[in-house]
Amino acid sequence: GLITMSACQRWLDTFLDEKGLDLDATIAVEGPSGTNWLTYADVVHAMKVTSAAEQKSLKTLLVKADFVNHDIRKVLKHLAQAIAI
């Protein structure tokens, strides 16, 4: 069936587009198996497929980080640690 994006997923796409983030940029994150090479797109995908409650929490985190001018790339790199293997 057709999978539609939630409002939160659309918000995330718009937010990252406004930040001019290169989703294909590679980041190195340490996981249990060692260094994982991920793209920001990998992190964003994981954010989009998590539960609605978790998506809401992630949105709140990004809004707060943006409000105090944190580098969104650093926030996403931190979040990438949760999906590192």
Side-chain angles (χ1 to χ4, degrees), residues 45-78:
H45 174 74
M47 293 170 73
K48 287 181 176 182
V49 298
T50 192
S51 70
E54 187 69 16
Q55 287 180 25
K56 185 176 179 184
S57 296
L58 291 166
K59 178 179 177 181
T60 299
L61 175 76
L62 289 172
V63 168
K64 288 180 178 178
D66 186 47
F67 184 75
V68 295
N69 293 316
H70 273 303
D71 185 342
I72 296 304
R73 292 170 301 182
K74 289 182 181 176
V75 176
L76 292 177
K77 184 171 180 175
H78 174 75

Side-chain angles (χ1 to χ4, degrees), residues 1-6 9-10 45 48-49:
L2 182 63
I3 299 173
T4 59
M5 282 201 302
S6 72
Q9 292 168 330
R10 284 192 303 274
H45 174 74
K48 287 181 176 182
V49 298

Side-chain angles (χ1 to χ4, degrees), residues 18-38:
E18 288 173 355
K19 295 295 163 203
L21 184 69
D22 177 6
L23 293 176
D24 295 324
T26 303
I27 50 176
V29 183
E30 293 303 316
S33 68
T35 303
N36 287 229
W37 296 96
L38 303 168

